[in-house]
Amino acid sequence: MTQYDAIVVGGGHNGLVAAAYLARSGARTLVLEARGKTGGAATTEAPWPDAPDFRVTRLSYVMSLMPPTIINDLDLARHGYKIYPMGPYYQAFPEGGSIKLYADDAKRNHEEVARWSVKDAGAMPRWDAWLAGLAEVLGPLLLTVPPKIGSRSPRDLSETLRLAWRHRGLDVRTIADVTRLMTMSIADLLDDWFESPQVKGALAVNGVIGTWAGPYEPGTAYVMAHHSIGDVGDGHLGNWGFQEGGMGAVSDAIARAARGFGVEIRTGAPVARVQTSGGRATGVVLSSGEEIGASVVVSSLHPRTAFLDHVGAENLPSDFVTDIEHWKTRSGVVKINLALAELPDFTADPGTELQEHHTGSVEMAPTMEYIERAFTDAREGRPAQRPFSDGVIPTAFDKTLVPEGYHIMSLFTQWVPSDWNLEPHREELEAYADRMIDCYTELAPNLKSAIVHRDIVGPYDLEHDYGLIGGNIFHGELSLEQLFHMRPAPGFADYRTPIAGLYYASSATHAGGGVCGIPGMQAARAAIADKKASRRRRARRS
């Protein structure tokens, strides 16, 4: 049996981050990736065989939330990590007019919002300040290892008290605001602040991205906050950005950093199970039958795959198994990638030459009611008649993805029924994509005729091709009962598992959701800390 110090199961961005940190600490580390390439959902691909020079960020499509700690520790800039900050949120309206919202320009926000409501324009600075205040609380929590709340062990009590002490300066109002954020719908929250349907629709987008919930569902206010507290290294709250070369280039940069620390990466190497002995991980068995040993195993896969399939319910505590079986991982997301011969020519902002509104998020979310209707359709068992979409045109900055004169438009759309992960639904997805394109064409009449290629990735593809069970991009919904110390199960939110030596680094852990790398870093840190503690115990005994 080949022996390593550490094995990482899954070569997505979190797995690669974990491997890089483990190797950086001196561990001989192996990454095993089932697919033919690394990256997972952070992948750049050429989906059209007859047009190989068109490349798309096929699933995840923008960067935010990756902390400077990871970027600096792994020296990612040296390995090709290069981000173009996005432009404004942009929504054109069927009744005419448009709105742009900026992450870093209060004056222009006031001008844009005042076109729809003077009252709302006055409220925007207070809204921005309120979000900034919440970010001061929630931002550090992204890098906090959740304590085992309720545990009576001295160590766990100490960690809980340390967390409480760190936030001892919070006042009654801030605690109330955080509580409201965690429990409210994004619709109710925005109703408290704004009156214009156009403004509220634009601000609601981040509350429903990747979520099996409409804007009137409790908890969607937190989803908005989760997507609004990061930046791309430019110091502007809530900024997002495009990686040069697409999101696959982020994974490639992490992989290069990992290899620089000595990590070995094997693709086309699916794991069949994690081997255990006496309640401890001892290695893995590949689908080919090959056995590979290691005293540390890190899994970055969906919790059902990592635990129920690879470890087996018979080797896990029954309450933990129940928690994983009940883990909610619905989606309803459809990714539509378009190759365009020219940029969309919006009636509200005419022209096919590159303009500012092409550089950010090109939304299809004109009102809260529009978004809710799309979700209601899917919840009632049919694909949205008029889907919601968070669209981007990365080639506004990144010319490496397409031939000269062409563009890629990436549409992250919602919703189709939550059980569409079970069957391909190809014909219905084609009709769904037609309707989505028609919605944009109502606002930019040239769009449909500008499309030269299109690629549709539904929940079935997300699950069967990329391992995203249910098609959920976060490996589990960001609902209140699946946050912080509950992610992925009570008592196991510290990136450790019921199996000694097995650590967990997927987006189903705390801070997961988005290409941030935090779960990978924290899982590696937990493994390294446990290894050091074990050495100290052995030294004391000797």
Side-chain angles (χ1 to χ4, degrees):
M1 181 189 298
T2 308
Q3 192 75 25
Y4 288 83
D5 297 319
I7 294 171
V8 176
V9 181
H13 80 281
N14 277 316
L16 294 170
V17 167
Y21 273 95
L22 287 165
R24 185 171 175 257
S25 75
R28 183 171 178 244
T29 304
L30 171 67
V31 174
L32 297 169
E33 168 55 43
R35 299 181 71 231
K37 59 180 294 186
T38 57
T43 176
T44 304
E45 301 181 19
W48 303 296
D50 57 337
D53 46 352
F54 285 87
R55 298 185 301 140
V56 303
T57 23
R58 199 159 189 238
L59 303 184
S60 60
Y61 54 106
V62 285
M63 279 301 299
S64 183
L65 300 176
M66 183 175 281
T69 300
I70 294 176
I71 296 169
N72 295 332
D73 283 352
L74 305 187
D75 198 8
L76 294 185
R78 183 168 67 86
H79 294 290
Y81 182 78
K82 180 181 179 181
I83 302 295
Y84 299 101
M86 286 174 60
Y89 282 83
Y90 173 74
Q91 174 68 58
F93 299 103
E95 67 270 24
S98 65
I99 189 170
K100 304 182 192 75
L101 294 177
Y102 300 84
D104 57 355
D105 196 328
K107 181 177 182 295
R108 296 183 74 185
N109 275 348
H110 187 278
E111 294 170 354
E112 288 287 328
V113 174
R115 291 158 56 188
W116 299 98
S117 168
V118 173
K119 179 182 176 182
D120 287 355
M124 280 298 293
R126 296 192 300 275
W127 167 259
D128 290 339
W130 184 75
L131 276 182
L134 288 174
E136 291 180 4
V137 177
L138 297 176
L141 283 179
L142 289 179
L143 291 172
T144 297
V145 177
K148 295 183 180 180
I149 297 174
S151 170
R152 297 181 181 180
S153 80
R155 175 180 174 180
D156 294 336
L157 284 170
S158 174
E159 291 299 323
T160 302
L161 290 172
R162 183 177 291 114
L163 177 63
W165 180 254
R166 186 191 308 168
H167 295 285
R168 64 192 181 280
L170 298 183
D171 57 21
V172 172
R173 173 53 58 186
T174 304
I175 293 293
D177 286 343
V178 172
T179 302
R180 283 159 52 82
L181 190 74
M182 293 293 185
T183 56
M184 290 183 74
S185 71
I186 186 61
D188 285 342
L189 178 65
L190 293 174
D191 281 345
D192 286 349
W193 285 86
F194 303 103
E195 64 178 9
S196 165
Q198 293 83 3
V199 173
K200 288 188 284 189
L203 291 173
V205 169
N206 279 343
V208 296
I209 288 290
T211 303
W212 181 254
Y216 291 92
E217 296 285 325
T220 49
Y222 170 76
V223 179
M224 177 275 300
H226 180 84
H227 288 101
S228 301
I229 58 179
D231 62 56
V232 292
D234 63 356
H236 296 304
L237 181 68
N239 259 21
W240 294 73
F242 301 115
Q243 162 69 35
E244 183 176 80
M247 292 297 285
V250 176
S251 300
D252 291 345
I254 302 170
R256 281 192 286 270
R259 287 191 175 100
F261 291 122
V263 171
E264 180 183 340
I265 300 174
R266 288 176 59 180
T267 56
V271 169
R273 70 178 187 274
V274 172
Q275 288 186 306
T276 63
S277 177
R280 172 171 289 277
T282 59
V284 302
V285 179
L286 302 188
S287 296
S288 64
E290 179 184 358
E291 298 183 11
I292 307 173
S295 59
V296 168
V297 177
V298 178
S299 181
S300 62
L301 306 184
H302 187 281
R304 292 183 191 171
T305 306
F307 299 115
L308 303 185
D309 294 344
H310 285 176
V311 176
E314 67 278 8
N315 298 312
L316 295 162
S318 59
D319 56 351
F320 181 84
V321 170
T322 298
D323 289 332
I324 299 304
E325 288 175 340
H326 291 170
W327 184 251
K328 296 205 302 294
T329 185
R330 297 162 297 184
S331 171
V333 163
V334 178
K335 184 76 188 300
I336 302 172
N337 300 300
L338 305 175
L340 304 179
E342 61 182 1
L343 288 168
D345 181 4
F346 288 92
T347 302
D349 297 275
T352 58
E353 71 281 4
L354 181 62
Q355 299 176 66
E356 188 179 40
H357 61 272
H358 294 121
T359 66
S361 293
V362 184
E363 309 295 349
M364 184 53 63
T367 65
M368 201 80 68
E369 292 73 21
Y370 178 100
I371 304 172
E372 179 68 14
R373 181 70 257 170
F375 177 65
T376 300
D377 282 348
R379 186 170 55 188
E380 293 176 352
R382 57 186 179 274
Q385 188 63 32
R386 294 181 66 84
F388 154 80
S389 170
D390 183 37
V392 295
I393 307 174
T395 47
F397 299 100
D398 183 5
K399 308 302 182 185
T400 69
L401 298 174
V402 290
E404 182 66 31
Y406 290 88
H407 284 277
I408 294 295
M409 188 171 186
S410 172
L411 307 179
F412 192 86
T413 79
Q414 297 167 207
W415 287 262
V416 296
S418 61
D419 62 357
W420 276 30
N421 62 305
L422 303 178
E423 299 289 342
H425 291 278
R426 295 317 311 177
E427 289 186 12
E428 293 119 312
L429 281 174
E430 292 289 341
Y432 172 95
D434 287 340
R435 295 196 301 275
M436 184 77 264
I437 291 166
D438 286 343
C439 288
Y440 274 105
T441 303
E442 291 174 8
L443 308 177
N446 73 320
L447 179 65
K448 183 179 290 189
S449 61
I451 298 170
V452 293
H453 303 284
R454 74 181 196 179
D455 170 50
I456 307 168
V457 187
Y460 182 88
D461 309 305
L462 291 165
E463 177 167 327
H464 290 81
D465 295 346
Y466 297 93
L468 300 172
I469 305 299
N472 190 284
I473 60 171
F474 302 144
H475 281 188
E477 299 167 36
L478 293 175
S479 49
L480 184 59
E481 77 281 11
Q482 295 190 169
L483 296 178
F484 199 51
H485 67 289
M486 304 289 284
R487 196 167 182 88
F492 296 99
D494 61 352
Y495 312 94
R496 296 172 175 87
T497 75
I499 304 296
L502 175 62
Y503 300 85
Y504 195 46
S506 100
S507 284
T509 62
H510 173 57
V515 181
C516 67
I518 295 172
M521 177 185 70
Q522 297 286 39
R525 284 178 170 178
I528 293 165
D530 289 352
K531 184 68 72 175
K532 289 179 179 177
S534 176
R535 288 174 184 154
R536 287 195 297 268
R537 288 193 296 271
R538 288 198 302 271
R540 284 196 296 268
R541 286 197 295 269
S542 62

